[in-house]
Amino acid sequence: MDFEKLTELIIELEVDDIADAVREALEKDGKDPFDILEALTKGMDEVGRRYEEKEYYLTELVLAGETMKEAFAVLKPALAAADKSLDKTKIILATVKGDNHDIGKNILGSLLLSSGFELFDLGMDVDEKTIVDKVKETGATIIALSSLLTMTVEQIKAVHEALKTAGIRDKVKLIVGGAPLNMELARKLGADDFADDAVDGVKHIKQLAGK
Ligand code: B12
């Protein structure tokens, strides 16, 4: 099972075959789970491009999401086994209000869990009040937010402002990710940091946590 084939299975939306393919790559071929993740993500990028070019429609987007979830269910334990450094920093993870994309967030969440962080995953479409309340309740020191839609990136600013109003902005680090963002925009919206994929995100978060 080569990486090109895995990328292709995502692009072709082979929801029934992807789990076996990932299993084969892992167990039979001994491929690195992080390389497999990269091949799958490449497929999702191509799906996004086809959607943009109107070669794919919403049905295909939904199916691509399902296919990625099937793949990730098999990949998750292998990713977890690959990284075992322990860290008990508390992290709040969420997709911002108005945004129902959670595949990237969930990947980041699994990697964070497998790195030993204590994770509070609030799900998707999460408003700023819920986040502020959770910081107060848990004493989390890092907030990781995902926004996949250009329309919802302003929500990052809303979270930043709500933390300021609550007087706890300086107690937490805010890191954000998602395709419409970059470091410059992230900073402009009040975030402390940005990473463009989940693997890099974990590295950045380890730095923010002072590890
Ligand atoms: C699957 C998908 C969906 C699925 C989502 C299923 C789910 N449960 O998540 C469904 C069908 C629901 C969907 C709906 C819509 N979608 Co959509 N979707 C996608 C698609 C194809 C893939 C997203 C994905 O899962 N990628 C794979 C994951 C692994 O990558 P990722 O999410 O980018 O995450 C990685 C990094 O960004 C980063 N990361 C992500 N979050 C974070 C957070 C932190 C802290 C860090 C450090 C890193 C990080 O790490 C991740 C892993 O490496 C993208 C296209 C694309 N290539 O991104 C469009 C895309 C995001 N969707 C788009 C659109 C327009 C929509 C809809 C508005 C369509 C519509 N007309 O209804 C709706 C919006 C619904 C809503 N309110 O949210 C546009 C957004 C354009 C924009 N810039 O605003 C895109 C880019 C497609 C396109 N090219 O036009 N979508």
Side-chain angles (χ1 to χ4, degrees):
M1 183 56 56
D2 53 27
F3 294 125
E4 286 77 21
K5 180 71 190 168
L6 288 171
T7 305
E8 200 183 299
L9 287 172
I10 293 282
I11 298 169
E12 299 301 328
L13 316 167
E14 301 289 356
V15 66
D16 294 330
D17 298 337
I18 192 77
D20 283 341
V22 172
R23 211 168 284 126
E24 186 183 323
L26 276 173
E27 288 166 13
K28 199 160 145 262
D29 309 334
K31 296 254 200 294
D32 183 309
F34 287 94
D35 292 341
I36 296 175
L37 180 61
E38 197 181 311
L40 299 170
T41 306
K42 211 161 131 190
M44 291 301 265
D45 287 344
E46 176 60 18
V47 169
R49 194 197 61 78
R50 290 188 185 189
Y51 177 76
E52 232 164 292
E53 301 292 323
K54 301 200 165 40
E55 289 168 40
Y56 276 3
Y57 296 94
L58 199 55
T59 325
E60 281 85 6
L61 273 195
V62 174
L63 206 50
E66 291 303 316
T67 311
M68 188 72 184
K69 280 189 175 167
E70 288 287 323
F72 195 63
V74 179
L75 199 56
K76 200 170 155 177
L79 288 168
D83 185 354
K84 285 233 171 297
S85 54
L86 273 182
D87 185 318
K88 278 296 156 204
T89 303
K90 290 177 180 169
I91 302 178
I92 289 174
L93 177 66
T95 299
V96 297
K97 188 167 91 185
D99 189 340
N100 287 324
H101 293 84
D102 68 350
I103 298 170
K105 171 188 76 62
N106 293 344
I107 292 176
L108 178 66
S110 298
L111 296 185
L112 289 170
L113 275 178
S114 71
S115 296
F117 286 103
E118 195 172 341
L119 191 68
F120 300 92
D121 186 344
L122 305 183
M124 49 193 182
D125 191 15
V126 180
D127 65 18
E128 59 273 29
K129 183 175 182 304
T130 307
I131 292 168
V132 168
D133 288 349
K134 201 71 185 174
V135 173
K136 287 183 183 161
E137 179 197 322
T138 60
T141 51
I142 294 177
I143 303 171
L145 292 181
S146 185
S147 174
L148 268 277
L149 298 171
T150 307
M151 213 168 65
T152 56
V153 293
E154 280 291 324
Q155 271 303 309
I156 292 165
K157 193 165 180 188
V159 172
H160 164 71
E161 294 294 341
L163 289 165
K164 260 176 44 185
T165 308
I168 52 173
R169 180 63 188 90
D170 59 346
K171 300 225 178 334
V172 284
K173 297 281 184 206
L174 179 57
I175 178 167
V176 296
L181 290 159
N182 53 51
M183 187 64 91
E184 198 190 342
L185 180 57
R187 291 255 161 84
K188 224 166 99 184
L189 294 164
D192 300 297
D193 202 359
F194 161 84
D196 59 10
D197 66 42
V199 173
D200 228 29
V202 173
K203 287 188 196 148
H204 282 230
I205 287 171
K206 282 183 176 165
Q207 267 184 357
L208 291 175
K211 308 288 161 192

